[in-house]
Amino acid sequence: MTLEHFMNNAISPWMREEGPDSDIVLSSRIRLARNIADIPYPLFAEDEKLAEVQSLFQQEYANKSFQEYSDFQFILVRDLSSVEKRVLVEKHLISPHLTKHTNESAAMISGNEQVSIMINEEDHLRIQLYFPGLQLRHALEKAFVIDDWLEEKVNYAFDETKGYLTTCPTNVGTGMRASVMMHLPALVLTRQINRMMPAINQLGLVVRGIYGEGSEALGNIFQISNQITLGKSEEDIVEDLESVVNQLIEHERNARDVIMKESPIALEDRIYRSYGVLAYSRVIESKEASNCISNVRLGIDLGIIKDTSRNILNELMVLIQPGFLQHYAKKTLTPLERDVLRASLIRERLQLEK
Amino acid sequence: MECQECHERPATLHFTQVINGKKTEIRVCEVCAKEKGYVNYPEEGYSLHNLLTGLFNFDTTKMESPAFQQVKDLQCPQCGMTFSQFKEAGKFGCATCYDTFSDRLDPILRRVHAGNTKHSGKIPKRAGDDLQMKRRLQSFKEQLQQLIEKEAFEEAAEVRDKIKALEARLRDLEAGDNS
Ligand SMILES: [Zn+2]
Ligand SMILES: [Zn+2]
């Protein structure tokens, strides 16, 4: 297992498995923020101290396997090229923050890319686990196991009343951010999503688009996560999030049914036009591509498009990102060159399905 | 729903901001959220850093009082961060900062975490065993004191045995840590 392996596949191995409700929920993620008791936190610590943290984890955990997570690859961020950094961010294996604080920051990524442990991010440790579909509880259980495994070698900064002591007061307590990535094309099409957002927000959850710059939720992909980390147990936070996600799933399925019933031809037309654009265009911007990919995925979920794998959404959404395109081209690309390469990679990928 | 700042892009971020007990709904796009300082993007979309630093300035009358001056000059003995630096950055420098600034933290935490100030989730395994045992030991000792006052000596003897057993286990645990 090498860095090359992480770089060359747009789709992470764990994504190939089908999870519960995977027609709508792309993935579940648990992130735990942890710090070591006697060492200043990364934003304010001297490099020397951070080097200690980094080398401790390298010595104790690099190339180790633990339970079903094999072969943790230890990656020093300062050894990465700018394109490599970008690709790992686009695959959500590391955070943008980590790539900007490169002196002593590192990541340990499991072979199947399901577990990523960032070292010297905003906190000494950021443990991330991904699961396909809606599997928050399972992800939480596994996150705790990894957490205990790391705790064998360090003393965590913890306080009886304040919980896990994090760099940012917004994370203190559980240090946990649970999130779910959802594909909600029918709620966007029927304009219901905007009405739902304030209600979701009232429950202490945050909804945001994850692809695209600024305001756009490219590909109709939304991330829903907990905002509050103090006062509720991890299990309760996950349960609350899950119940909202289940409601969203129900609304999305209803909206899909309604569209199918009320305007089946218009829907079919939209889906096949998008398929046509992806299959035949020679130049395509990421916004149009994301839209078409979302439509095609909806077509697959509704049984309109057959013999194309659902994974194509997750895979193409990463494949069409600027970092990945430049990694593929092995050089810096102008915007036009990017749009041309994007179109050609999408065509190629769709051909593979035939 | 459109963004309340630019009225152009859709509002993809929604916050409830509570200032002086007044709830305000904020619905903005990510561009405006970033520009107006509602979020610290793209470091982590929901870090709410700037919203948070805004929260520190909620009570300006207190700032001039001598009591506040004292608090303001507090400095963390471990990492050297002062309270005003913490206020500025919205981030802690180390674990000891939490102790150092503890008197000023609860109002901030309450605002960020919907009124909550106490952790009720996971306890670290290692610190946890120790902590839970110490908590139990303390409650046994209080129990013992009460039983002796009531002259319930038989029951007191039982509790004393429990205390001895717990203390022995704690000693083992600490010895284990040093080895
Ligand atoms: Zn705006
Ligand atoms: Zn400190």
Side-chain angles (χ1 to χ4, degrees):
Chain A
M1 210 63 60
T2 58
L3 178 63
E4 272 302 292
H5 166 88
F6 299 137
M7 294 293 297
N8 287 341
N9 297 292
I11 191 167
S12 297
W14 62 266
M15 287 182 188
R16 296 189 190 282
E17 286 162 40
E18 194 125 309
D21 299 305
S22 58
D23 55 331
I24 291 164
V25 179
L26 304 179
S27 62
S28 303
R29 183 193 75 152
I30 296 286
R31 189 219 69 197
L32 300 174
R34 299 288 187 255
N35 286 286
I36 299 166
D38 301 321
I39 298 179
Y41 293 171
L43 296 182
F44 306 97
E46 286 157 16
D47 281 353
E48 240 171 75
K49 286 280 178 193
L50 296 180
E52 268 174 43
V53 175
Q54 178 260 101
S55 67
L56 171 98
F57 285 99
Q58 180 162 28
Q59 276 164 29
E60 299 287 351
Y61 294 98
N63 304 317
K64 289 260 168 73
S65 294
F66 177 65
Q67 295 193 346
E68 65 265 51
Y69 306 109
S70 63
D71 205 4
F72 273 90
Q73 188 72 28
F74 188 93
I75 298 167
L76 264 180
V77 176
R78 61 169 178 252
D79 293 343
L80 297 174
S81 73
S82 62
V83 169
E84 284 169 336
K85 281 181 216 162
R86 217 165 157 173
V87 168
L88 294 181
V89 169
E90 287 167 1
K91 293 183 79 176
H92 306 287
L93 290 173
I94 62 174
S95 66
H97 179 100
L98 202 74
T99 65
K100 281 183 230 142
H101 301 76
T102 54
N103 281 3
E104 295 298 341
S105 71
M108 296 194 293
I109 303 173
S110 71
N112 63 358
E113 301 177 24
Q114 199 161 15
V115 183
S116 151
I117 300 158
M118 287 181 268
I119 298 159
N120 294 330
E121 215 255 15
E122 183 183 288
D123 296 291
H124 290 137
L125 289 174
R126 288 279 177 103
I127 306 162
Q128 288 194 140
L129 275 87
Y130 288 98
F131 281 82
L134 182 55
Q135 300 192 66
L136 282 171
R137 282 157 213 257
H138 185 57
L140 180 64
E141 269 172 42
K142 290 292 175 185
F144 279 177
V145 171
I146 297 276
D147 186 32
D148 294 342
W149 180 51
L150 295 175
E151 200 207 328
E152 285 172 11
K153 305 291 176 196
V154 289
N155 273 322
Y156 280 156
F158 181 85
D159 176 86
E160 266 178 85
T161 54
K162 298 285 173 266
Y164 291 93
L165 305 177
T166 52
T167 297
C168 188
T170 55
N171 293 317
V172 72
T174 61
M176 182 190 73
R177 201 71 66 188
S179 62
V180 166
M181 227 202 268
M182 302 183 82
H183 183 224
L184 303 170
L187 290 181
V188 173
L189 206 64
T190 55
R191 296 174 195 280
Q192 291 181 69
I193 188 75
N194 289 336
R195 276 195 286 123
M196 291 173 177
M197 278 185 180
I200 296 170
N201 186 244
Q202 286 293 325
L203 299 166
L205 304 176
V206 182
V207 184
R208 56 191 291 262
I210 65 150
Y211 288 106
E213 279 166 33
S215 64
E216 297 163 302
L218 284 188
N220 299 318
I221 297 173
F222 295 86
Q223 186 189 56
I224 299 150
S225 52
N226 65 300
Q227 194 173 341
I228 290 157
T229 57
L230 189 62
K232 286 205 282 180
S233 71
E234 292 86 348
E235 288 82 1
D236 287 348
I237 294 171
V238 160
E239 199 173 307
D240 291 351
L241 176 59
E242 207 169 74
S243 82
V244 170
V245 169
N246 276 320
Q247 288 177 51
L248 277 169
I249 291 173
E250 210 184 300
H251 285 297
E252 170 69 21
R253 288 207 180 116
N254 287 340
R256 288 180 185 189
D257 284 348
V258 168
I259 302 170
M260 277 286 264
K261 266 193 205 110
E262 289 182 359
S263 35
I265 286 297
L267 180 66
E268 212 174 309
D269 182 65
R270 190 187 175 97
I271 287 164
Y272 275 112
R273 274 173 190 276
S274 293
Y275 190 89
V277 168
L278 294 181
Y280 294 105
S281 69
R282 267 26 188 190
V283 183
I284 194 164
E285 282 182 15
S286 76
K287 191 174 176 176
E288 187 186 8
S290 308
N291 242 321
C292 292
I293 292 165
S294 169
N295 285 334
V296 167
R297 166 70 196 243
L298 179 64
I300 296 167
D301 289 331
L302 294 175
I304 294 169
I305 291 178
K306 297 185 174 74
D307 309 320
T308 303
S309 101
R310 274 176 176 176
N311 279 331
I312 208 153
L313 174 79
N314 314 39
E315 191 173 350
L316 285 180
M317 283 308 288
V318 174
L319 198 68
I320 64 171
Q321 303 298 318
F324 211 92
L325 290 175
Q326 305 200 30
H327 168 62
Y328 199 89
K330 301 212 166 9
K331 60 172 184 169
T332 320
L333 300 170
T334 66
L336 177 65
E337 286 173 328
R338 257 186 241 169
D339 293 348
V340 171
L341 180 59
R342 181 179 292 116
S344 111
L345 283 181
I346 294 172
R347 289 201 310 273
E348 224 175 274
R349 184 62 191 81
L350 283 178
Q351 279 298 319
L352 283 180
E353 292 282 327
K354 294 240 161 100
Chain B
M1 186 173 311
E2 72 181 22
C3 169
Q4 68 182 46
E5 296 285 351
C6 64
H7 302 286
E8 272 176 19
R9 292 171 286 261
T12 50
L13 281 170
H14 298 245
F15 302 110
T16 315
Q17 197 174 31
V18 185
I19 297 170
N20 293 328
K22 257 193 212 160
K23 263 194 186 176
T24 328
E25 289 282 337
I26 296 162
R27 293 174 189 142
V28 288
C29 68
E30 288 205 26
V31 177
C32 294
K34 189 181 166 190
E35 271 171 16
K36 308 283 172 188
Y38 291 123
V39 290
N40 192 12
Y41 185 86
E43 301 260 305
E44 181 106 302
Y46 30 63
S47 85
L48 306 176
H49 159 74
N50 288 326
L51 181 63
L52 184 75
T53 36
L55 291 171
F56 291 96
N57 302 319
F58 56 92
D59 207 1
T60 42
T61 50
K62 251 195 188 154
M63 285 186 175
E64 281 128 39
S65 74
F68 183 79
Q69 283 303 323
Q70 240 183 347
V71 175
K72 195 181 161 191
D73 294 334
L74 274 178
Q75 187 173 25
C76 175
Q78 174 86 11
C79 72
M81 180 172 277
T82 63
F83 186 73
S84 44
Q85 281 169 334
F86 165 63
K87 217 178 77 172
E88 176 72 29
K91 313 269 178 182
F92 293 104
C94 74
T96 310
C97 287
Y98 278 90
D99 279 338
T100 314
F101 310 137
S102 64
D103 291 346
R104 298 285 298 176
L105 284 187
D106 279 2
I108 295 162
L109 295 177
R110 231 175 261 132
R111 280 171 171 79
V112 177
H113 297 286
N116 297 314
T117 57
K118 282 202 169 59
H119 176 59
S120 63
K122 194 183 186 211
I123 294 174
K125 247 195 167 164
R126 203 194 303 206
D129 291 349
D130 205 47
L131 239 156
Q132 277 164 355
M133 260 192 253
K134 278 182 185 156
R135 272 187 205 165
R136 264 173 45 217
L137 193 61
Q138 189 55 36
S139 91
F140 280 147
K141 281 181 176 167
E142 283 163 16
Q143 230 179 319
L144 180 66
Q145 202 53 43
Q146 285 167 2
L147 290 170
I148 289 172
E149 278 165 22
K150 279 196 288 182
E151 301 188 4
F153 296 117
E154 227 169 283
E155 286 165 327
E158 275 175 36
V159 174
R160 188 173 297 123
D161 287 345
K162 284 185 192 166
I163 291 174
K164 274 184 189 159
L166 254 181
E167 280 175 337
R169 273 175 61 197
L170 261 170
R171 267 197 305 276
D172 285 352
L173 207 77
E174 269 154 27
D177 265 1
N178 295 335
S179 66

